[in-house]
Amino acid sequence: MASHGIEVKDLYKIFGPHGSKYVESVRNGMTKTELNEKHGHVLGLKDINISMPGGKIQVVMGLSGSGKSTLIRHINRLIEPTTGSVEYEGNDVCKMSKSDLLEFRRHKTAMVFQKFALLPHRTVIDNTVYGLEIQGIDKAEARKQAVKWIDRVGLSGFEDHYPNQLSGGMQQRVGLARALTNDADILLMDEAFSALDPLIRTDMQSVLLDIQEELQKTIVFITHDLDEALRLGDRIAILRDGEVIQQGTGQEIVLNPADAYIADFIKEVNRGRVIRVNTIMESTPVEGGAKVEIHAGDRLETAAQAMSSQEEAHANVLDDSGTLIGSISLKAAINAMVTPATH
Amino acid sequence: MGVLTEFPEMGRTDLRDLKKGIDEAFRGFTRAYGEAIEDFFFPLLKFLVWFEKLMLATPWPLMIVILCALVYAGARSWVMVAGTAIVLLVAGYLGMWEDTMKTLSIISVSTMICIVIGIPFGILMAKSDRTQTIVRPILDFMQTVPSFVYLIPIVMLLGIGRVPGLMAVCIYAIPPVVRLTNLGIRLVDKDVLEAADAFGASPRQKLFTVQLPLALPNIFAGINQTIMMALAMVVVAALIGVQGLGSEVLKAVNNQYLALGIFNGAAILAIAIVFDRVSQKFGKRLQKHSEVIHG
């Protein structure tokens, strides 16, 4: 099952009774404040164009009020767009009929929510089968799938507990198991880990990355946490006031912030965990060979650790196939890891 | 002076003609459709009579066992079961067995009718604000207008007996279950509803997998109130010929039989307490998922 990419094109959302009337004015430069003060409408999303890669994790990041939750709800059309399109496998979700939309939601998407949104009157296992139950899948088969995923997220033995007998972290594991049991191509995660304690959050991120390595679904992950975005995102789009202000890989954003706002954002980032060796390496190998060899895709932190533990100042860099492609010095690695003073 | 102290009322003859006109029109309606309406309710009458006969024909020890079993099924409490048995034995010993059965029969049937009609109405109300604005004043009317006012047209249409009695009871007792079904569904957590939407649940699936189960505690509070109000109506229903504890109370009032009044009144009260506790306990058991909270 190959998961495909999602194309969000020219998407606008203006909240209010006559939203579509103001699309043109917004297109021509009316700001959010102006729209609100003059016409009493709220600009939710403006000119969103994101090409979300298939089988990868697309992070949408922004602070509260930036429109990120609005954006993710357009992918399964829990919110109607004012104008624009969201294409998946050549179909525009925004133009689907009611019944097509139900089918799309049942078979192509699954969603994990910030506040878990579990059914409080159902046990863990009955929550987990929910998607399959809605699809009308045989009960025994649904339970088999559910048990598998409950086990996968580490909740074996809790099948017959009710959600409010579980901690927040465990509840969100149920949320994740429920979404995964649906076996959909697209996984929508709306600030899925934001309500969890930092340690549990990191733990859940690892669970997600593990599962993703195996399944390669198209994941859209919403967060307000840059560290989370950088850890999970194959691609990141940053939203402010309903507009995309920069998108690219985490490394691209950290190395070339588009404006002062983003630069301010990334100031606190641990760059060693974001920047990869190949971005700063020299294309000439170490003269006379080197004791330490690292991979081009490794992060600087890993590279620096490898060199310092061997008490070496230089290391050779290999590509995925093991060919020697260049070198890196400990000094260069540390220089790149330190946050630049200006910006 | 006279202009201000005398209210400018309608002419005496006009007023009489107006009232007469309304009366005549309704009498005409009764003459034209009364029989058809009576025929329509005939199966209900047959059912009521059958159910009452069934309860009276059942040997009393068996009846006590059945009722105690129902109480246990609802409340899971031996104290409640013992209480029920004592109430029934005492009522029977004091010569009220038959009347108690008759009252139980009409209360059970009217409660069932209220539930069967009331819950769907509550659902419709919850689905649309417009329905809610229309239905609300009707429910207010049903609860506040003195029952004697709607007893008049009912008696004119259907005469006296069990069916008009049942209708009077239902009109008074149905609003709580409608209101609380509506309220319960409207109070369902929006996040959970959104999750159901995200998984592609149709409106019907949402109703049965999310809205009704989560509204159940409220719906049960409504059913409990409906039963209580139905019991409160047994004496009024006795006015139009419903047999049972209510008609004995009525007899006691008319003839100033103090003891008869007290006995039958106490029996109605005891039934009310049993119904109330059992339905409350049952309602609580439905929410067992919300009892244990992670520490």
Side-chain angles (χ1 to χ4, degrees), chain A residues 48 156 158 224 228 254 287 299 315:
Chain A
I48 304 290
S156 285
F158 289 93
H224 60 249
E228 186 167 69
V254 170
E287 276 177 49
R299 319 274 169 165

Side-chain angles (χ1 to χ4, degrees), chain B residues 46 51 93 125 173 198 213 263 293:
Chain B
K46 271 188 89 173
F51 193 70
Y93 190 66
M125 258 175 103
F263 284 0
I293 289 183

Side-chain angles (χ1 to χ4, degrees), chain A residues 203-315:
Chain A
D203 197 34
M204 289 296 284
Q205 289 164 358
S206 308
V207 172
L208 180 68
L209 285 173
D210 274 2
I211 290 171
Q212 172 65 353
E213 201 167 312
E214 188 183 312
L215 298 176
Q216 299 185 348
K217 292 179 182 293
T218 302
I219 299 179
V220 182
F221 194 101
I222 302 292
T223 182
H224 60 249
D225 175 1
L226 187 60
D227 286 317
E228 186 167 69
L230 291 169
R231 176 150 188 235
L232 297 176
D234 291 304
R235 285 184 63 81
I236 298 171
I238 299 181
L239 239 54
R240 186 179 55 180
D241 291 340
E243 281 179 83
V244 175
I245 46 176
Q246 188 173 11
Q247 51 179 323
T249 63
Q251 180 171 268
E252 281 163 16
I253 290 171
V254 170
L255 290 176
N256 298 302
D259 62 12
Y261 176 77
I262 296 177
D264 202 33
F265 234 130
I266 60 173
K267 220 160 49 187
E268 308 295 332
V269 164
N270 182 343
R271 301 161 72 92
R273 284 199 197 144
V274 178
I275 303 169
R276 292 167 197 274
V277 168
N278 58 359
T279 44
I280 61 156
M281 70 177 188
E282 306 280 333
S283 55
T284 50
V286 180
E287 276 177 49
K291 277 213 307 212
V292 185
E293 287 181 336
I294 44 189
H295 288 282
D298 283 347
R299 319 274 169 165
L300 292 184
E301 197 178 60
T302 325
Q305 237 163 21
M307 282 184 271
S308 69
S309 68
Q310 299 285 321
E311 296 189 3
E312 284 286 310
H314 298 274

Side-chain angles (χ1 to χ4, degrees), chain B residues 47-284:
Chain B
F47 176 73
L48 275 170
V49 171
W50 172 80
F51 193 70
E52 196 181 296
K53 277 196 175 147
L54 179 76
M55 288 190 68
L56 286 171
T58 312
W60 65 265
L62 181 62
M63 203 63 220
I64 292 183
V65 170
I66 293 173
L67 290 174
C68 286
L70 285 176
V71 167
Y72 185 75
R76 293 286 153 83
S77 146
W78 290 111
V79 179
M80 292 294 312
V81 171
T84 310
I86 291 170
V87 163
L88 289 169
L89 287 170
V90 170
Y93 190 66
L94 292 177
M96 296 183 290
W97 180 260
E98 255 183 49
D99 287 329
T100 306
M101 288 303 112
K102 284 178 179 168
T103 295
L104 277 181
S105 136
I106 191 124
I107 295 303
S108 313
V109 174
S110 47
T111 305
M112 278 188 282
I113 290 176
C114 286
I115 292 172
V116 168
I117 299 174
I119 291 180
F121 256 96
I123 293 170
L124 287 178
M125 258 175 103
K127 291 233 156 177
S128 119
D129 286 340
R130 193 183 289 172
T131 317
Q132 182 176 249
T133 21
I134 296 170
V135 176
R136 243 195 202 155
I138 300 176
L139 293 178
D140 292 339
F141 169 85
M142 290 161 83
Q143 280 186 301
T144 48
V145 167
S147 38
F148 297 103
V149 173
Y150 52 77
L151 280 181
I152 302 166
I154 291 177
V155 171
M156 281 171 81
L157 257 182
L158 297 165
I160 56 172
R162 289 185 182 85
V163 171
L166 184 82
M167 284 175 74
V169 172
C170 285
I171 289 175
Y172 185 66
I174 207 171
V177 71
V178 179
R179 279 188 211 277
L180 280 146
T181 302
N182 172 39
L183 180 75
I185 291 177
R186 283 176 184 265
L187 285 180
V188 167
D189 188 355
K190 297 280 171 291
D191 290 333
V192 181
L193 269 184
E194 188 183 45
D197 269 329
F199 280 94
S202 62
R204 199 190 155 77
Q205 284 173 323
K206 261 194 300 189
L207 181 67
F208 285 106
T209 60
V210 181
Q211 289 170 313
L212 281 183
L214 290 180
L216 218 48
N218 275 314
I219 295 177
F220 238 83
I223 292 176
N224 173 279
Q225 285 307 302
T226 288
I227 298 173
M228 294 300 105
M229 293 179 74
L231 270 164
M233 277 293 279
V234 287
V235 180
V236 175
L239 275 174
I240 49 172
V242 174
Q243 298 279 307
L245 297 168
S247 55
E248 293 302 298
V249 172
L250 203 61
K251 202 196 281 173
V253 172
N254 288 335
N255 299 306
Q256 301 181 354
Y257 296 151
L258 178 62
L260 184 70
I262 291 176
F263 284 0
N264 285 281
I268 295 176
L269 172 72
I271 293 177
I273 292 175
V274 170
F275 265 120
D276 178 61
R277 298 299 184 274
V278 171
S279 58
Q280 273 192 18
K281 283 226 166 176
F282 185 68
K284 247 187 205 147

